[in-house]
């Protein structure tokens, strides 16, 4: 297998694309985009037979 020829401009292109996509090393940009695209988790709904426990005053 032959080694591909090196491309001195590859790093510059990679950096330019990453900047245009607002990528960073911390992952914060990903987290912001993910939060916009995916709704937050909701707590599971109780089953039909499950009723919330009602406490009487003094208990």
């Amino acid at each position: 297998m032959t080694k591909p020829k090196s491309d001195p401009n590859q790093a510059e292109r990679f950096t330019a694309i990453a900047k245009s996509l607002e990528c960073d090393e911390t992952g914060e940009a990903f987290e912001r985009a993910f939060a916009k695209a995916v709704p937050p988790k909701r707590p599971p709904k109780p089953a039909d037979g499950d009723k919330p426990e009602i406490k009487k005053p003094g208990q």
Side-chain angles (χ1 to χ4, degrees):
M1 180 177 233
T2 61
K3 185 176 178 181
K5 294 181 181 180
S6 64
D7 183 357
N9 296 325
Q10 181 179 10
E12 291 175 20
R13 289 194 310 270
F14 180 85
T15 303
I17 291 170
K19 285 180 180 180
S20 72
L21 296 173
E22 297 180 5
C23 297
D24 61 8
E25 293 178 3
T26 65
E28 291 175 7
F30 172 80
E31 292 295 333
R32 284 192 304 272
F34 187 80
K36 288 180 183 179
V38 179
K41 285 187 175 182
R42 295 183 181 175
K45 292 183 179 180
D48 290 336
D50 295 343
K51 292 186 179 180
E53 184 179 325
I54 300 174
K55 293 186 177 181
K56 295 180 182 177
Q59 285 185 342

